[in-house]
Amino acid sequence: MDVTSRAGETVAPGGRAAPVVGAQAGPADPLAPYLEADFPWYGLDDGWTGRRWLSPAGAGRAGQGAGTDYGSLGHGDEPARPYESREAGRFAVVVTVARRPGRRSADNTGMLEATSASSAAWLAGSGLIATVPPGQLDRSLRQDWLDQQTALAWDLADDLEGPGWSPLTLPVNGLPQPFRYRESEYGWVLAGEAPGVLLGAYGRGVSAYGVGFTALSDLTAYNGR
């Protein structure tokens, strides 16, 4: 997707700061930013028996003392990279976002809004957009399409109670929890809350109606690649 990163933050359409989505330089141990986080991570519950993996999305604000603010855990087939032509297969990605108050940006030039379910919806929607196989789009038109879809994802995330979303109740730690849900031809996105965090998810080929979420005490199952 077309976003501009600076000083550990990403400027979304309209100039608003949004979390970075995509591969980032980081420590040699890909689990490190996850293990150092001050909030619980969520993934699919034991109803999912397939492959689990760390998404390349994730990480935290740049700057001294910055910590991890969000990250993603994948389930199923890993989506194709932008330069790969293979189909994405079946997958579901769970996005965990820390609850953060409004705070100054890492470079001290502005303010970042407090995180909310819309933050999780934005990350999930942007993540889904990035998984669309390039073979579905003419190369010359792909960037224009990404720009349009990124702007649409932001607008939709900013209006979770609007007509673009439907209610959906799913289990979180075994208890029913309300979410906001939407489908497109590329897959589905949902967003809501969980104890201690904000949750987003996106997927394709896996029914959102059949998933459940749980707090994870051990992430080693996601570090098998």
Side-chain angles (χ1 to χ4, degrees), residues 43-53 73-78 88-94 171 188 202-208 210-214 216 221-222:
L44 296 188
D45 60 22
D46 290 342
W48 178 265
T49 59
R51 180 176 177 242
R52 296 173 183 253
W53 40 271
L73 298 174
H75 309 77
D77 301 320
E78 193 169 356
R90 298 175 62 253
F91 66 89
V93 178
V94 180
W188 52 264
Y202 62 92
R204 184 159 57 242
V206 174
S207 174
V211 302
F213 306 102
T214 189
L216 301 166
Y222 291 89

Side-chain angles (χ1 to χ4, degrees), residues 95 116-129 149-170 178-184 187-193 199-203 208-209 213:
V95 182
S116 66
S118 291
S119 307
W122 158 246
L123 278 168
S126 300
L128 180 64
I129 291 168
Q149 294 300 311
T150 298
L152 177 60
W154 181 272
D155 290 340
L156 286 166
D158 213 27
D159 187 21
L160 287 178
E161 298 303 318
W165 300 86
S166 301
L168 178 62
T169 300
L170 295 170
F179 287 88
R180 302 299 290 173
Y181 169 80
R182 68 179 304 268
E183 289 186 17
S184 74
W188 52 264
V189 174
L190 60 81
E193 302 185 13
L199 276 188
Y202 62 92
Y209 291 86
F213 306 102

Side-chain angles (χ1 to χ4, degrees), residues 1-4 11 13 82 129-130 132-134 136-152:
M1 67 182 192
D2 182 38
V3 289
T4 303
V11 178
I129 291 168
V132 177
Q136 294 184 216
L137 299 169
D138 181 272
R139 183 183 297 267
S140 64
L141 299 177
R142 181 172 176 79
Q143 191 59 57
D144 287 342
W145 180 88
L146 287 171
D147 292 343
Q148 294 167 1
Q149 294 300 311
T150 298
L152 177 60

Side-chain angles (χ1 to χ4, degrees), residues 4-75:
T4 303
S5 177
R6 68 168 185 261
E9 64 186 25
T10 298
V11 178
R16 292 169 285 191
V20 177
V21 178
Q24 295 178 315
D29 180 3
L31 273 178
Y34 293 83
L35 298 177
E36 294 168 359
D38 61 354
F39 55 92
W41 294 103
Y42 280 76
L44 296 188
D45 60 22
D46 290 342
W48 178 265
T49 59
R51 180 176 177 242
R52 296 173 183 253
W53 40 271
L54 285 176
S55 172
R61 291 163 291 140
Q64 185 176 4
T68 301
D69 284 329
Y70 64 93
S72 303
L73 298 174
H75 309 77

Side-chain angles (χ1 to χ4, degrees), residues 95-134:
V95 182
T96 306
V97 182
R99 294 180 182 270
R100 302 288 192 222
R103 69 271 192 208
R104 297 202 69 82
S105 60
D107 60 3
N108 209 38
T109 60
M111 292 293 295
L112 299 177
E113 295 180 0
T115 57
S116 66
S118 291
S119 307
W122 158 246
L123 278 168
S126 300
L128 180 64
I129 291 168
T131 70
V132 177

